[in-house]
Amino acid sequence: MFRATVLTLFPEMFPGPLGLSLAGDALSRGVWALETKQIREHGVGRHRAVDDTPAGGGPGMVMRADVLAAAIDAAAPADDPRPRLLMSPRGRPLTQPRARELAQGPGAIILCARFEGVDERIVDARALEEISIGDFVLSGGEIAALALIDACVRLIPGVMGEEASGVEESFEAGLLEYPHYTRPREFEGRDIPEALLSGDHARIAKWRHDQALALTRARRPDLLTPQPRGRSNGR
């Protein structure tokens, strides 16, 4: 079973949207599991401090390595096979291949940082894989963790209604997804493309591929550039 363990200062943010729709239904059926761990339980001192001022000066606060190490160790023993992920804007971008790779595994231990980030030493000491969901900064890693988990859970067998739904979509074949249409046949002077109404499966497949290729060239030409060989998570 895919099992996600989230280390956070705000466990009340979960399951959030993961408790709804397909992910929520699968969660209630036991297809996958989710647990949250409060990092502050491992804080130091009377006030359970989890952060301190940055070495060398500067604004903000930094999450302490000793606190995070205790939280990680309590949540997962050393022999836990699940990858340890840190949601971070400086991480490698989350890709569909990486999401599928995670979905096919035992789950993930996900650390959600706050403030200015984490003491760098915890990244090395606990072999954290830094993952980003985009070139922007959030207030913390929780929203990014929700996005990552959703991207994985929807790929678990038994979550989506039709297996083809997870195959014929953006990034699965290296292209953006082709446009979709449904009733009514005409909407505000715009018709459904005739090829989709032809009943000719070969013609429909060619139209969809051509449209996907055109969209990718226009919006994400980087996807058409051959990528260097290697694992998608950069290891």
Side-chain angles (χ1 to χ4, degrees):
M1 177 193 296
F2 181 93
R3 184 165 59 92
T5 298
V6 181
L7 282 63
T8 172
L9 292 174
F10 300 97
E12 60 272 20
M13 294 180 69
F14 298 84
L18 296 174
L20 304 172
S21 190
L22 295 176
D25 176 67
L27 182 62
S28 66
R29 290 187 286 113
V31 177
W32 68 286
L34 171 69
E35 63 177 346
T36 57
K37 300 293 184 179
Q38 172 58 266
I39 296 173
R40 198 169 295 282
E41 291 180 359
H42 305 277
V44 296
R46 183 162 59 92
H47 298 292
R48 296 286 186 182
V50 299
D51 59 338
D52 211 326
T53 55
M61 303 290 279
V62 177
M63 298 188 77
R64 295 174 55 127
D66 54 350
V67 171
L68 295 178
I72 293 171
D73 293 346
D79 60 351
D80 192 314
R82 293 175 295 168
R84 300 174 176 186
L85 313 178
L86 170 63
M87 306 313 300
S88 168
R90 74 175 195 178
R92 292 187 178 274
L94 177 64
T95 62
Q96 189 70 9
R98 183 57 177 141
R100 185 169 290 281
E101 184 178 25
L102 289 168
Q104 294 172 345
I109 302 162
I110 307 172
L111 174 60
C112 300
R114 284 272 163 173
F115 315 117
E116 293 301 313
V118 305
D119 186 312
E120 184 69 20
R121 292 171 293 182
I122 192 61
V123 177
D124 297 327
R126 293 300 181 272
L128 302 183
E129 175 190 341
E130 296 183 70
I131 291 185
S132 169
I133 64 167
D135 295 340
F136 50 88
V137 179
L138 298 168
S139 299
E142 288 79 12
I143 293 176
L146 288 168
L148 180 144
I149 295 171
D150 183 77
C152 296
V153 167
R154 63 190 300 275
L155 298 175
I156 298 173
V159 174
M160 286 192 288
E162 296 185 25
E163 186 176 351
S165 296
V167 176
E168 296 183 2
E169 58 186 7
S170 292
F171 309 114
E172 285 292 350
L175 301 174
L176 298 183
E177 192 171 10
Y178 51 79
H180 293 279
Y181 299 86
T182 188
R183 294 186 179 90
R185 181 166 180 166
E186 184 272 335
F187 170 70
E188 295 185 354
R190 298 169 175 85
D191 294 324
I192 295 177
E194 194 276 330
L196 298 179
L197 304 174
S198 67
D200 184 332
H201 296 298
R203 184 181 176 190
I204 292 171
K206 182 180 186 304
W207 182 91
R208 287 175 169 170
H209 179 269
D210 290 346
Q211 290 293 311
L213 185 59
L215 278 171
T216 305
R217 282 182 178 141
R219 300 179 184 180
R220 291 292 305 276
D222 57 294
L223 295 176
L224 300 175
T225 302
Q227 299 297 314
R229 294 180 179 272
R231 287 184 54 143
S232 57
N233 65 352
R235 289 190 171 184

